[in-house]
Amino acid sequence: MKVILDTELKFEEHQKLKGKDSSKFAITTTDLSVHFGLKAAIKKINLKIRRNTVTSIIGPSGCGKSTLLRSLNLMHELTPRTKVTGTIKILDKDITEYDVINLRNKVGMVFQKPNPFPKMSIYENVISGYKLSGKNPSESFDDIVERCLIHSALWDEVKDRLNKPAISLSGGQQQRLCIARTIAINPEIILMDEPTSALDPLSTMKIEKLIHDFKNDYTIIIVTHNMQQAARVSDFTAFMFIGDLVEFDKTKKLFTVPTVKLTEEYITGKFG
Amino acid sequence: MKLDDIKFTDGNLQRRKILNRLMLSLCTIAAVLSVAPLLYVFFYTTFSGISALNIDFFTQLPKPVGETGGGMANSIIGTLILVTIGSLIGIPVGILSGIYVAEYSNNIFSNIIKFVTDVLSGIPSIIIGIFAYGVVVLTMGGFSALAGGFALGIIMIPTVTRTTEEMLKLVPVNLREASLALGVSRWKTSLKIVLKTASTGIITGILLSIARVAGETAPLLFTSFGNRFMSYSLTEPIDSMPVRIFNYAISPFEEWHKLAWAGAFILIFLIFILNLVVRFITRDKYSINN
């Protein structure tokens, strides 16, 4: 229980430090269901995600983890014949009230496979969010690139070759570049869809460390297949199974004393 | 059976080696056969055409029968004008419909477009010429550069559409998603990420279509018709290299035959240069080999 109190304390501290008086929740979903055609991908999900916490979503393949994640920045709209019911509140505003572009500026996303833009340099990739949409940032591009690359722990490795192509980097470096690109547009929430599943253990470790450091500034939701990773990086964990949210609790509690039998069976490896 | 028992020289290894050599030689022969006619055409045209080439060829107008000398200045200019008009029609329409088919629609309408462009690309060019005659020449009341350019543009559309579509489909989904997730709107993503990533392939397709229409003769015979004089007017008949070559080649005069060879050589040479230029422009700035 000590750990839980720690999380609470940390949360209160963050709020004081950042002077945020608004709600404690970055994301609230109410009876959220997503259907692809006739098939329900997720069913009546009720989830409240606190600000400045890391939440991981675990579950076997096809349980709707990615669908849930992608519905939070409306990426699921890319799939044809998608139907959504229920409500999603992002930063105390209903998701339907957002312009999709503003929403995605607030809710960034990091993908499973590192996907830097191949025809751009490292430098251009970091500022691509501005360059592509034609927005003007409040600080200079040089400052953004330096700040974000330092923040994503890539600066020392690439500062001498910022104009080299992004695809000349290793997989782990590319993923950190994608993270730098995401934080460059100052999101408040970062969604990560299995960000380390294509990476080696060392790169995975670096990214997990980043996630840990990011908590001060962002709310992070990470989908992962790796239960150890969920246990290592997250404050809260949601366990999903065939479209249902089975259990959502503090990570330590979910992994030590789960209340639902199914959760216990999954985390002890009885299925999945 | 233990590993040591397997003798690698046993069995059909010898047979496989021979078969491998045989198939490899067949492939090599096929490759040589496919390039040989091209090289033959290239060298024969060069050989026959280069002797008739001189500065007059590029600066003089055609001389009447009986007089020696003369050139194709009007045909060269005419071909450039016709190809430009054709490109202005064919490239935008082709690229935009390619984007539509590949990016924005997955319904029966896009399947119809795909089918129609396939059919259109197989239609003999002379029929496109008749179409342009009916649509432009009869409407405007006479042969014109516009009518010829229109016919060439129509011929370009299916090639450009299909290459654009194929190239756009090769762009991985995760690049689109990366751009969209950064809050970039869909049309900007299409334009700045998808189209840019596919640009090399699309430009190659455009180039192929330009190379094809630059040598088209049949659709120009009754659209742009031909003109013995220099013309820059879009509403007047205009000369073109293929038509001029055709007319000279079927004539009984030795002098004109020579000029036709020279014209053919220049036409091939222009397409060759066009290829080199585009290769230079689209060379990959960020290829890892640099």
Side-chain angles (χ1 to χ4, degrees):
Chain A
M1 290 308 277
K2 187 172 162 288
V3 182
I4 299 162
L5 284 172
D6 272 0
T7 316
E8 295 281 335
L9 267 175
K10 264 185 196 154
F11 174 72
E12 299 302 333
E13 272 169 30
H14 290 319
Q15 293 308 303
K16 264 185 219 152
L17 280 172
K18 299 192 83 182
K20 274 188 183 158
D21 54 348
S22 55
S23 149
K24 295 199 278 189
F25 299 108
I27 296 171
T28 313
T29 70
T30 318
D31 288 340
L32 175 70
S33 302
V34 177
H35 292 257
F36 295 126
L38 291 173
K39 196 177 156 282
I42 54 175
K43 296 170 249 174
K44 303 226 173 214
I45 305 282
N46 289 294
L47 203 58
K48 287 185 168 204
I49 290 170
R50 285 164 177 266
R51 279 178 195 247
N52 297 95
T53 59
V54 178
T55 304
S56 55
I57 307 177
I58 59 169
S61 295
C63 69
K65 306 184 292 279
S66 290
T67 305
L68 174 60
L69 197 72
R70 292 165 70 90
S71 66
L72 300 176
N73 68 343
L74 297 180
M75 289 297 275
H76 66 287
E77 284 183 351
L78 298 179
T79 318
R81 298 200 302 137
T82 309
K83 205 181 109 218
V84 181
T85 54
T87 57
I88 305 172
K89 268 187 161 179
I90 306 276
L91 306 168
D92 295 321
K93 210 164 113 181
D94 196 277
I95 202 163
T96 53
E97 291 171 31
Y98 282 97
D99 176 63
V100 67
I101 289 166
N102 289 337
L103 176 77
R104 288 176 187 158
N105 284 335
K106 287 215 185 317
V107 187
M109 192 165 199
V110 177
F111 296 85
Q112 179 173 4
K113 226 177 119 201
N115 53 1
F117 298 119
K119 294 223 165 184
M120 295 184 190
S121 66
I122 296 168
Y123 185 97
E124 288 169 315
N125 258 284
V126 178
I127 54 168
S128 55
Y130 295 102
K131 281 278 172 185
L132 292 171
S133 54
K135 276 187 317 220
N136 285 318
S138 47
E139 46 188 330
S140 79
F141 283 141
D142 286 350
D143 290 346
I144 293 178
V145 171
E146 187 170 345
R147 175 173 60 80
C148 295
L149 286 176
I150 289 173
H151 221 54
S152 60
L154 194 59
W155 179 249
D156 291 334
E157 291 159 59
V158 302
K159 64 183 173 200
D160 299 323
R161 46 175 181 147
L162 291 174
N163 291 317
K164 286 273 168 356
I167 44 173
S168 67
L169 297 174
S170 75
Q173 289 173 326
Q174 287 187 16
Q175 192 64 303
R176 276 178 282 148
L177 179 64
C178 292
I179 292 174
R181 176 177 74 183
T182 305
I183 60 177
I185 50 173
N186 298 317
E188 302 203 23
I189 300 165
I190 301 177
L191 310 174
M192 297 184 164
D193 193 353
E194 299 179 41
T196 63
S197 65
L199 305 181
D200 64 282
L202 204 67
S203 304
T204 302
M205 209 180 74
K206 284 184 183 161
I207 288 187
E208 285 181 7
K209 189 172 176 305
L210 276 184
I211 294 172
H212 190 78
D213 297 342
F214 274 5
K215 243 195 309 188
N216 291 341
D217 300 309
Y218 311 100
T219 307
I220 295 173
I221 305 175
I222 171 171
V223 163
T224 177
H225 266 126
N226 182 334
M227 280 183 273
Q228 284 76 32
Q229 180 170 69
R232 280 195 299 266
V233 302
S234 62
D235 306 310
F236 296 89
T237 297
F239 169 60
M240 292 182 70
F241 186 69
I242 335 181
D244 288 309
L245 180 63
V246 178
E247 190 165 355
F248 176 52
D249 214 325
K250 277 148 192 152
T251 300
K252 279 280 152 71
K253 179 156 181 292
L254 190 130
F255 277 103
T256 47
V257 276
T259 45
V260 184
K261 186 118 201 325
L262 200 63
T263 316
E264 191 188 323
E265 285 176 3
Y266 183 69
I267 59 175
T268 52
K270 289 211 173 105
F271 75 98
Chain B
M1 190 156 77
K2 278 185 294 180
L3 190 64
D4 295 344
D5 296 341
I6 305 169
K7 291 199 181 66
F8 288 101
T9 50
D10 269 3
N12 55 8
L13 181 65
Q14 208 56 36
R15 195 182 136 262
R16 287 196 282 126
K17 272 186 171 171
I18 292 169
L19 196 64
N20 180 37
R21 289 234 177 93
L22 183 72
M23 293 314 288
L24 192 63
S25 349
L26 283 177
C27 291
T28 314
I29 291 168
V32 170
L33 280 181
S34 67
V35 183
L38 185 75
L39 288 177
Y40 183 74
V41 167
F42 190 73
F43 285 117
Y44 193 81
T45 323
T46 311
F47 179 72
S48 317
I50 213 147
S51 62
L53 268 187
N54 49 38
I55 194 76
D56 283 355
F57 181 84
F58 299 98
T59 56
Q60 298 288 307
L61 295 179
K63 288 263 166 70
V65 188
E67 287 182 44
T68 52
M72 282 196 189
N74 58 335
S75 322
I76 296 171
I77 297 292
T79 285
L80 290 180
I81 290 176
L82 287 170
V83 169
T84 308
I85 300 172
S87 303
L88 288 178
I89 297 169
I91 294 173
V93 175
I95 289 183
L96 290 176
S97 51
I99 293 176
Y100 176 80
V101 173
E103 294 276 300
Y104 281 84
S105 117
N106 211 354
N107 51 30
I108 189 137
F109 186 53
S110 73
N111 285 329
I112 293 173
I113 295 181
K114 271 191 245 175
F115 181 71
V116 170
T117 47
D118 278 349
V119 174
L120 192 62
S121 66
I123 289 180
S125 55
I126 193 152
I127 294 179
I128 307 283
I130 296 172
F131 172 67
Y133 178 82
V135 172
V136 187
V137 177
L138 291 183
T139 320
M140 289 177 59
F143 300 116
S144 66
L146 275 180
F150 176 76
L152 297 187
I154 301 285
I155 294 170
M156 286 175 82
I157 289 174
T159 324
V160 179
T161 303
R162 287 319 294 264
T163 25
T164 305
E165 186 209 337
E166 298 296 330
M167 291 303 136
L168 292 183
K169 283 199 169 152
L170 287 181
V171 177
V173 178
N174 63 29
L175 279 189
R176 289 162 223 252
E177 290 191 336
S179 174
L180 292 168
L182 284 172
V184 181
S185 64
R186 199 166 167 195
W187 71 272
K188 279 180 180 159
T189 300
S190 289
L191 204 67
K192 294 186 183 174
I193 294 298
V194 183
L195 209 57
K196 199 174 170 193
T197 310
S199 59
T200 312
I202 294 173
I203 289 173
T204 310
I206 290 172
L207 182 86
L208 284 174
S209 67
I210 289 180
R212 186 188 159 190
V213 297
E216 280 291 351
T217 320
L220 296 178
L221 288 173
F222 36 79
T223 49
S224 66
F225 190 67
N227 191 339
R228 280 200 40 224
F229 304 99
M230 186 62 93
S231 164
Y232 300 103
S233 165
L234 298 185
T235 52
E236 296 288 321
I238 199 166
D239 218 39
S240 58
M241 296 188 68
V243 174
R244 174 77 27 200
I245 292 168
F246 172 73
N247 285 331
Y248 277 3
I250 57 170
S251 78
F253 313 111
E254 190 57 32
E255 188 72 18
W256 280 13
H257 287 174
K258 269 192 185 166
L259 281 171
W261 279 116
F265 169 70
I266 291 298
L267 206 52
I268 293 178
F269 188 70
L270 283 180
I271 289 164
F272 180 71
I273 294 293
L274 200 59
N275 264 291
L276 286 184
V277 167
V278 169
R279 271 181 184 265
F280 181 73
I281 293 169
T282 57
R283 73 194 187 288
D284 201 348
K285 188 163 63 154
Y286 288 140
S287 103
I288 299 172
N289 302 327
N290 287 359

